[in-house]
Amino acid sequence: GSVVASYPYDDSPTHKPSGIYSKSADDEVFRYLAKAYASNHPIMRTGKPNCPGEEGETFQDGITNGAQWYDVEGGMQDYNYVWANCFEITLELSCCKYPPTSELQQEWENNRDSLLAFIEKV
């Protein structure tokens, strides 16, 4: 897990593990939507999720192109965009895939304004 808004493409022509910006035809729209979410999230907007074991990982403005972060061949985000014309971003909301119940209220508070901003853009 992490705390970042990722956008297409997740796959790249070179299939290098990471570091390749794989720009879609609608890159500006995807960046706009990802920033709308990230800029309203108190952790994501810092670009420094500070996840255990990945303390040095950073994302400018709290967003990343999927393949630049890590290449994923055959991911749902790319599939939906290419085959269904669905503009989908992936939201990594926590360093922990399954946060304990005691942390769910804080997760809601962290994401409420981001969700509302994202819905407004749609």
Side-chain angles (χ1 to χ4, degrees):
S2 193
V3 184
V4 65
S6 172
Y7 55 92
Y9 287 116
D10 282 336
D11 195 4
S12 70
T14 64
H15 302 295
K16 285 190 174 182
S18 65
I20 303 297
Y21 195 102
S22 190
K23 186 176 181 178
S24 73
D26 296 294
D27 192 69
E28 288 183 41
V29 174
F30 282 119
R31 288 178 55 81
Y32 175 77
L33 293 173
K35 279 186 180 182
Y37 196 96
S39 66
N40 287 283
H41 190 286
I43 298 167
M44 197 178 294
R45 71 174 164 230
T46 70
K48 298 175 185 173
N50 201 30
C51 292
E54 299 288 340
E55 290 84 0
E57 186 171 59
T58 61
F59 303 99
Q60 185 174 347
D61 300 321
I63 68 173
T64 189
N65 173 262
Q68 188 170 30
W69 186 20
Y70 64 92
D71 194 275
V72 174
E73 187 176 353
M76 186 61 87
Q77 177 172 264
D78 291 358
Y79 178 86
N80 284 336
Y81 175 57
V82 172
W83 297 104
N85 200 30
C86 177
F87 283 46
E88 181 178 314
I89 64 172
T90 298
L91 301 167
E92 299 271 345
L93 302 178
S94 173
C95 297
C96 175
K97 292 289 185 187
Y98 303 102
T101 303
S102 61
E103 294 177 14
L104 294 180
Q105 181 63 38
Q106 184 61 53
E107 289 299 328
W108 165 243
E109 291 172 17
N110 287 346
N111 288 281
R112 180 185 51 234
D113 292 343
S114 294
L115 286 166
L116 292 172
F118 185 74
I119 289 168
E120 288 172 358
K121 302 302 181 212
V122 174

